[in-house]
Amino acid sequence: EQTALEVDHLSLYYGEKQALNDISLRIPQHQVTALIGPSGCGKSTLLRCFNRMNDLVENCRIEGDIRLRGVSVSDAQWDVSALRRRVGMVFQRPNPFPKSIYDNVAYGLRLQGIRDRRLLDETVENALRAAALWHEVKDRLGDNALTLSSGQQQRLVIARAIAIEPEVLLLDEPTSALDPISTLVIEELMGALKQRFTLVLVTHNMQQAARVSDYTAFIHQGKLIEYNHTD
Ligand code: ADP
Ligand code: ADP
């Protein structure tokens, strides 16, 4: 298996407090890797290092390195937005923009300057299909995204993230604000998405990790204590 992300002796401090302690880890391509562990152990902090979201945090200091396909995420070749086009992120609470369903999915393409209507239409449709949402929304693409259920909103956010074809999709507790049925739909979706993307999933739910992940990294008090192929 090829390596998508390589974490190399990563430590992270918020001021005096050490949140990550010498973590080394290989995230394989086209697999779902789950980061699990108790609340406060550092899962989200580690996830946010993959697309440099901690850069915004005052007092945050990082040692060690993360490489995306061999290139350090702090390499000068990335401005942060270039990095985030390759490493997309989905949060716990669905956060669609208060715009139409179509405009949400087209957002990243338009940021890249794409204006061709046919290309936009086609990409929006493909992303919605890949997010298992197309049939539910195809007749209402102009509706405001906030009129969708929260399970649909989360799939829309996934469609928005994958429309620009990132390599890696980071998912931070993507189902913990959702009902059980929507949770199952998204768990099934993760299985399909890994054919095209590398997924890193933060969850505190061991059953979910067992259901969807190929690899499981157990984190405890900022340390990686175990890394396994999921049975
Ligand atoms: P988890 O995702 O496993 O619940 P987090 O990564 O959110 O854990 O947090 C790890 C530790 O770092 C916790 O003790 C948390 O309180 C602390 N922490 C998280 N973000 C910040 C921040 N911006 N400033 C200071 N401490 C933080
Ligand atoms: P629905 O919205 O009714 O679930 P879709 O056609 O959107 O129907 O998707 C059906 C299933 O096929 C979903 O589970 C989805 O994950 C999967 N799927 C559809 N298109 C793709 C694609 N391009 N890549 C990966 N999986 C896909």
Side-chain angles (χ1 to χ4, degrees):
E1 272 156 6
Q2 299 243 43
T3 300
L5 287 161
E6 194 172 1
V7 182
D8 186 6
H9 294 290
L10 186 76
S11 291
L12 182 148
Y13 303 81
Y14 294 117
E16 296 295 294
K17 187 195 154 59
Q18 183 164 15
L20 297 177
N21 188 340
D22 196 27
I23 291 187
S24 294
L25 174 69
R26 230 176 46 80
I27 308 269
Q29 248 180 355
H30 296 296
Q31 305 284 319
V32 180
T33 298
L35 309 179
I36 71 172
S39 179
C41 71
K43 304 181 293 296
S44 301
T45 296
L46 175 57
L47 196 73
R48 289 197 302 265
C49 288
F50 293 135
N51 68 351
R52 290 180 53 186
M53 294 230 337
N54 293 306
D55 284 18
L56 304 171
V57 179
E58 229 180 303
N59 264 335
C60 174
R61 185 165 60 82
I62 296 175
E63 293 167 355
D65 200 11
I66 294 179
R67 288 181 287 274
L68 170 63
R69 305 265 226 118
V71 180
S72 169
V73 296
S74 52
D75 192 277
Q77 84 174 64
W78 310 113
D79 54 49
V80 170
S81 49
L83 177 65
R84 291 185 190 157
R85 281 197 293 277
R86 307 254 315 258
V87 184
M89 179 89 146
V90 173
F91 299 93
Q92 177 172 350
R93 305 233 156 251
N95 59 348
F97 304 130
K99 299 164 171 277
S100 71
I101 293 167
Y102 185 99
D103 286 347
N104 265 273
V105 185
Y107 180 82
L109 300 161
R110 286 181 170 142
L111 271 188
Q112 292 177 28
I114 295 170
R115 294 285 178 274
D116 181 272
R117 184 68 198 211
R118 249 191 22 211
L119 179 58
L120 287 173
D121 286 355
E122 190 179 284
T123 312
V124 167
E125 176 175 338
N126 286 337
L128 286 167
R129 281 188 187 281
L133 190 58
W134 173 248
H135 291 292
E136 289 160 60
V137 303
K138 63 175 192 253
D139 298 321
R140 49 179 295 202
L141 293 175
D143 289 4
N144 193 299
L146 302 178
T147 62
L148 297 170
S149 73
S150 38
Q152 291 173 323
Q153 287 185 19
Q154 196 62 308
R155 279 179 280 146
L156 179 67
V157 168
I158 291 171
R160 183 177 71 196
I162 64 180
I164 58 169
E165 297 280 335
E167 284 177 49
V168 178
L169 192 59
L170 308 174
L171 302 134
D172 194 351
E173 303 266 11
T175 63
S176 52
L178 304 181
D179 63 84
I181 301 292
S182 303
T183 296
L184 287 177
V185 170
I186 290 194
E187 287 182 357
E188 192 187 329
L189 181 57
M190 288 190 258
L193 290 174
K194 76 178 181 190
Q195 315 295 325
R196 289 171 55 195
F197 310 101
T198 298
L199 272 61
V200 187
L201 168 70
V202 162
T203 179
H204 60 260
N205 181 333
M206 302 272 260
Q207 284 77 32
Q208 176 166 79
R211 283 192 295 269
V212 307
S213 72
D214 301 293
Y215 290 88
T216 311
F218 294 84
I219 298 171
H220 183 68
Q221 296 181 346
K223 289 196 177 122
L224 178 66
I225 54 169
E226 211 177 308
Y227 177 59
N228 288 329
H229 202 284
T230 309
D231 298 320

